Amino acid sequence: MKRKIRLLGSRLIRGAELRTSRIPGFYRLSVEQRLAFLAHSFNLTDEQVSQLRNGNALRIEHAVNMVENAVGVLGLPLGLGLNFLVDGREYLVPMAIEEASIIAAASKAALMIRKGGGFRTETSDPVMIGQVQILDLKDPEDAARRLLDSKREIIERANLANPRMVQRGGGVFDIEPRIIDGGEGFGKMIALHLLFNVCEAMGANAVNYACEAVGSMVENITGGRVNLRILSNLADRRMAKAEFVLPVEYLATKELSGWEVAQRMVEANRFAEVDTYRAATHNKGIFNGICAAALALGQDWRAIEAGGHAYAAKDGRYKALTSYWVSKGNLHGKIELPLQVGIVGGATSAHPGVKILMTISGVDTSRQLAGLLAAVGLGQNFSAILALSTVGIQKGHMALHARSVAISVGVPPEDIDDIAQEMIKRGQVKIEVAEEIYRNIKQKPKMKKENDELPVETFAPGKVVLFGEHATVYNYPGISAAIDIGLKMRVNYDPDGPRFLHPDFKQVFPVPESDNDIRMFSKAVYEALEMYGLQKEQIGIQIESELVPGMGLGSSAAFSVALCSSLRRYRHIESKKRWNSDLFEEVQKLESIFHGHPSGMDAATILSGGVLWFRKGPPREFLPIQMPSPMSGIICLVEPGARTIELVQRVKRRREMHRKYIDNILEDIGNLTVDAGIALGTGDCVEAGRLMFRNHELLARLGVSTKALDRAVELLLDYGVLGAKLTGSGGGGAVIAIVKPEQQYALVEELSGEFAMVLPFALGALR
Ligand code: MEV
């Protein structure tokens, strides 16, 4: 569903619309790229972007007007909870929190839950309760009756204190005297409740004014003595409920069926329903999400927490705020709690940073905000109990987080897993720690891994051909690049090994020969086991790939590189050199299972981790191209790919028939590739883009493009990319584009409806 985005509550942004909160690979972007995406999507000024980045939206000049004895302003990490689909609307949820993994866990839950249609919420009117404590009553029952008889006057007096709220349709609309036994030495007292519709505000001040305004009138009516006059944070007239329904199959893991996982989650929730010790932790996890979002959105998170915990004890015993059950093949989850939130007043008006974040959240009303926070709380809890019921909480998110920290400090692909694991082992997943470990790794020769140090985990990137495909067959140069999307391999102890387990490929199009493909992967595994003398080893090899096979993304080469690197590490065959020609030859041997006579370009590119100039030779040329800074790109998966060998033969046949015509095209591609090498090496992305368009035209004239690929390139041109072309052998498959960094995520979002899949990538970011 589309929504209009408004800035600072009133200024309408020119035509900007957020179509989805699903932004694949957001975590892989640099902070600058993420900010560029926000700036583009929400029309933020440079100053606002800088305020978000530096956390200095709130200046000390503001702070002194907010609290007493101000000495400074405190910062906290700020992130975005992604993937939230709530009542059919897409939300990016700003979250401010110091605890690692909370934002990743919320985003992961929202991603899973959107597969079942997202969250549904219900909220009640924004009714707060004000309390007036009345003591020293001779006849409390009679006093209560007299209060009810004077209801109209009490309401009128209370509303005189808040005329603007009344103008907006709010104000006190009812009263409820409650007789409470104060116990020995106190006797009975009355808590007079004022029920106050606070409209779009959180309402604490308005309620407190109303309570104070009726104090003396209440004393006159009851003959008693008024003590406290203050709101109640048990805002149980201001409830929010969020629910989801998720088919259990989405919960299945490699070890457990979806039904088993769902059942374990129901058991986990039951634990928190019947045991207060567990309930406290369970609900703490819920408030991890709610409070992080509440804080970023300028809400009184202490009030929200107090209300939530009090409500959790409403039946006389403190218990879980959530319930879970399985019915008709679905896992159901529900949360119900008071949510006292506002979109006007308080920090939402006083804090410039909160105003920006409110805009990003897309929330328009206080009820919407309450529903969203309830969904965030439920999502956070879903992730926590899912992880606790399966892999455990530490493993669940730490690994992901640790990898992204390692990547963010520029660790080369082959070291990312080692560094991530070391950080987890030390319990310190931090940039400084990653840098320190990386420094040590670089200084020391690599430690040999013991066999019992399984699992061995490896990541190999994918690749794209940037320039020169087909011309390379005729000994012109080509340029290809490793991309930050790839394949993870895990070698683990397996008593039934050696074997190749559960290949988890991303499949987008039906691949008629997929069975064959999987068999080729298995064949490569057994070839590799033989190559390293591991035919009798008790190991299982598992992969998880982001690279769609058959799309020219180097799926098979990434697989071969990961396999050879993993088995070498397992056998303690280590190399200090980045480029290792033995490893290259071993990879090539596996590649020949997939491609007959591979050129080596894919393997070399992936092993280099960078941008590579290539010529078949002899002599073969592999020259790294150093880019001054990474370039941003997108890959659009357009249609099923064709077999490289067939396309190569098609060009060969056409060349036999129209020798001069085809040779001229091949030569033009060759010349253009030389220019492209210079453009990439000098960081000239505009020129590189122009050459890409030209390269596509030439490939089309060569006869290897298709209508769908041409249309995709035209569409990308219309969207203002710097350059686009088919990539790989053609005849179908994918189109790549170089884009301005600030365009990248908006394009992924805007084009996701046009293509089977759109993936962001960075060039020159991996080395
Ligand atoms: C940690 O901050 C929160 C959890 O302990 C919540 C829970 O146990 O449900 C993981």
Side-chain angles (χ1 to χ4, degrees):
M1 184 184 244
K2 297 182 178 188
R3 74 168 149 83
K4 289 270 174 217
I5 292 164
R6 277 188 287 125
L7 186 63
L8 309 190
S10 58
R11 189 150 65 88
L12 200 67
I13 294 176
R14 296 160 287 139
E17 284 180 348
L18 187 69
R19 274 204 239 153
T20 177
S21 60
R22 167 103 190 85
I23 311 175
F26 194 71
Y27 69 96
R28 264 198 303 261
L29 293 182
S30 67
V31 174
E32 294 311 317
Q33 285 172 312
R34 292 176 196 153
L35 284 166
F37 163 71
L38 288 182
H40 175 88
S41 306
F42 298 97
N43 206 20
L44 303 182
T45 63
D46 289 349
E47 193 192 350
Q48 289 172 321
V49 169
S50 139
Q51 288 173 342
L52 281 185
R53 181 203 297 111
N54 303 320
N56 60 1
L58 187 73
R59 299 202 312 268
I60 186 71
E61 293 85 336
H62 295 115
V64 289
N65 294 318
M66 292 169 78
V67 301
E68 304 71 29
N69 302 344
V71 292
V73 178
L74 181 71
L76 267 183
L78 174 71
L80 288 184
L82 304 178
N83 311 320
F84 276 87
L85 180 62
V86 182
D87 299 323
R89 268 176 82 132
E90 298 280 356
Y91 292 95
L92 299 176
V93 186
M95 298 173 85
I97 189 150
E98 86 301 343
E99 187 175 330
S101 304
I102 302 295
I103 299 174
S107 305
K108 182 182 168 196
L111 180 61
M112 290 181 79
I113 286 170
R114 67 188 284 136
K115 291 182 185 150
F119 297 91
R120 294 263 150 239
T121 72
E122 272 173 44
T123 53
S124 50
D125 283 338
V127 175
M128 294 293 287
I129 297 169
Q131 292 193 297
V132 181
Q133 182 194 21
I134 316 165
L135 303 123
D136 302 344
L137 295 162
K138 287 200 189 72
D139 182 347
E141 280 76 19
D142 183 53
R145 259 191 307 277
R146 274 185 281 131
L147 284 169
L148 285 173
D149 290 344
S150 309
K151 184 196 274 193
R152 210 167 45 81
E153 295 87 314
I154 296 172
I155 291 176
E156 264 169 26
R157 175 68 61 90
N159 283 339
L160 276 180
N162 292 293
R164 287 182 42 210
M165 192 70 94
V166 176
Q167 270 166 20
R168 289 200 292 269
V172 176
F173 60 92
D174 203 357
I175 61 167
E176 285 173 358
R178 292 172 53 232
I179 299 173
I180 305 169
D181 192 350
E184 216 180 302
F186 295 93
K188 284 190 177 168
M189 61 180 97
I190 288 182
L192 175 64
H193 282 192
L194 305 184
L195 302 188
F196 194 141
N197 181 330
V198 292
C199 301
E200 295 301 331
M202 185 274 185
N205 284 331
V207 173
N208 293 342
Y209 278 132
C211 292
E212 289 186 2
V214 300
S216 54
M217 179 185 241
V218 163
E219 284 184 341
N220 290 339
I221 294 169
T222 58
R225 176 174 58 86
V226 164
N227 189 25
L228 300 193
R229 293 161 297 168
I230 183 83
L231 90 164
S232 168
N233 284 121
L234 176 51
D236 61 1
R237 303 297 173 97
R238 199 175 187 180
M239 296 294 294
K241 191 159 85 177
E243 289 181 86
F244 71 81
V245 181
L246 183 67
V248 293
E249 47 277 17
Y250 289 119
L251 296 166
T253 66
K254 300 214 162 89
E255 292 81 24
L256 298 169
S257 72
W259 188 87
E260 282 169 315
V261 176
Q263 206 50 40
R264 288 181 180 205
M265 290 175 73
V266 172
E267 287 162 2
N269 195 78
R270 186 71 187 147
F271 186 9
E273 282 172 331
V274 296
D275 179 57
T276 303
Y277 285 94
R278 173 58 203 152
T281 326
H282 182 96
N283 290 345
K284 187 269 183 182
I286 292 171
F287 287 109
N288 273 343
I290 294 183
C291 289
L295 183 53
L297 295 173
Q299 305 302 311
D300 182 344
W301 76 97
R302 289 92 52 215
I304 293 173
E305 270 216 79
H309 291 302
Y311 188 75
K314 69 179 189 320
D315 301 333
R317 192 170 45 75
Y318 182 86
K319 58 182 194 187
L321 286 165
T322 50
S323 36
Y324 286 81
W325 66 100
V326 178
S327 153
K328 297 191 181 132
N330 293 314
L331 174 69
H332 293 249
K334 189 168 101 178
I335 189 168
E336 202 168 8
L337 79 169
L339 272 164
Q340 42 210 307
V341 292
I343 60 159
V344 293
T348 57
S349 309
H351 194 306
V354 168
K355 289 184 186 178
I356 305 173
L357 296 173
M358 268 289 184
T359 304
I360 290 172
S361 77
V363 160
D364 291 324
T365 67
S366 63
R367 288 178 68 163
Q368 222 176 34
L369 177 55
L372 178 61
L373 292 187
V376 170
L378 179 59
Q380 201 73 54
N381 174 255
F382 170 93
S383 251
I385 62 172
L386 173 63
L388 288 167
S389 314
T390 51
V391 288
I393 203 79
Q394 292 310 100
K395 199 168 160 220
H397 299 299
M398 275 301 172
L400 185 72
H401 178 54
R403 278 182 53 82
S404 69
V405 169
I407 291 169
S408 74
V409 301
V411 166
E414 68 272 19
D415 289 328
I416 288 173
D417 286 299
D418 286 350
I419 291 174
Q421 269 173 26
E422 180 60 26
M423 280 192 285
I424 292 170
K425 213 149 86 194
R426 292 193 194 177
Q428 288 185 304
V429 181
K430 292 183 189 151
I431 298 231
E432 319 82 81
V433 179
E435 280 170 345
E436 184 223 306
I437 302 171
Y438 182 38
R439 266 196 309 276
N440 290 345
I441 287 186
K442 279 200 297 193
Q443 274 158 15
K444 279 192 233 151
K446 286 209 169 157
M447 298 279 290
K448 287 197 170 200
K449 262 187 186 287
E450 293 301 328
N451 273 9
D452 59 5
E453 274 188 57
L454 283 171
V456 174
E457 290 180 328
T458 315
F459 172 81
K463 71 96 197 26
V464 288
V465 181
L466 294 177
F467 296 96
E469 44 275 89
H470 286 289
T472 48
V473 176
Y474 300 89
N475 213 11
Y476 289 105
I479 300 176
S480 59
I483 51 177
D484 54 349
I485 301 169
L487 173 147
K488 276 190 275 182
M489 180 169 288
R490 190 180 160 91
V491 178
N492 214 342
Y493 171 71
D494 183 340
D496 300 325
R499 59 177 176 161
F500 180 44
L501 296 148
H502 318 291
D504 184 359
F505 288 107
K506 210 165 234 161
Q507 292 283 18
V508 175
F509 302 109
V511 184
E513 283 164 302
S514 61
D515 281 348
N516 257 340
D517 284 346
I518 301 297
R519 261 184 269 148
M520 283 207 258
F521 284 101
S522 300
K523 197 164 164 211
V525 168
Y526 291 104
E527 173 86 29
L529 288 168
E530 208 176 302
M531 211 152 67
Y532 297 108
L534 298 169
Q535 303 94 312
K536 299 217 165 84
E537 218 67 8
Q538 290 186 311
I539 50 174
I541 295 166
Q542 227 173 322
I543 58 164
E544 197 181 314
S545 178
E546 295 175 298
L547 304 169
V548 181
M551 288 282 127
L553 301 181
S555 169
S556 68
F559 176 81
S560 306
V561 168
L563 186 56
C564 293
S565 311
S566 305
L567 296 185
R568 278 175 149 255
R569 276 170 59 196
Y570 178 73
R571 284 284 323 271
H572 314 317
I573 310 169
E574 300 282 353
S575 161
K576 277 180 230 143
K577 286 185 288 179
R578 170 176 272 287
W579 179 259
N580 176 334
S581 43
D582 291 344
L583 173 59
F584 175 72
E585 292 309 332
E586 288 154 18
V587 171
Q588 279 293 85
K589 204 162 166 198
L590 302 190
E591 271 284 83
S592 64
I593 296 174
F594 298 96
H595 301 300
H597 300 286
S599 68
M601 183 167 172
D602 285 10
T605 309
I606 289 169
L607 282 169
S608 83
V611 181
L612 203 70
W613 166 277
F614 164 82
R615 197 193 294 266
K616 190 172 76 162
R620 190 155 53 193
E621 286 173 20
F622 287 140
L623 293 170
I625 298 179
Q626 299 289 355
M627 290 173 54
S629 57
M631 285 186 193
S632 304
I634 57 172
I635 301 170
C636 306
L637 303 192
V638 179
E639 58 184 336
R643 286 173 66 83
T644 305
I645 185 90
E646 280 162 22
L647 272 299
V648 170
Q649 271 161 11
R650 184 190 298 178
V651 174
K652 189 170 164 228
R653 278 196 305 276
R654 293 198 70 189
R655 185 167 176 265
E656 278 158 14
M657 284 159 66
H658 313 284
R659 183 72 174 230
K660 192 154 176 6
Y661 176 73
I662 297 293
D663 275 349
N664 282 343
I665 297 175
L666 294 170
E667 191 182 338
D668 282 354
I669 294 179
N671 290 338
L672 165 160
T673 302
V674 175
D675 293 344
I678 297 166
L680 292 170
T682 54
D684 186 347
C685 46
V686 174
E687 176 64 359
R690 190 187 68 76
L691 292 168
M692 262 193 172
F693 282 129
R694 174 86 185 115
N695 195 165
H696 182 81
E697 269 170 40
L698 292 169
L699 287 166
R701 280 173 47 201
L702 208 54
V704 298
S705 186
T706 64
K707 278 204 184 99
L709 293 173
D710 291 345
R711 261 201 310 272
V713 170
E714 273 164 32
L715 184 72
L716 288 163
L717 180 65
D718 288 346
Y719 271 87
V721 303
L722 297 172
K725 64 182 271 292
L726 68 83
T727 183
S729 56
V735 159
I736 52 165
I738 293 186
V739 303
K740 292 187 196 134
E742 66 272 18
Q743 264 186 328
Q744 189 181 37
Y745 272 80
L747 281 173
V748 170
E749 192 195 311
E750 283 164 20
L751 292 169
S752 56
E754 305 283 349
F755 299 109
M757 189 180 270
V758 183
L759 299 160
F761 69 92
L763 283 183
L766 275 174
R767 282 180 63 86

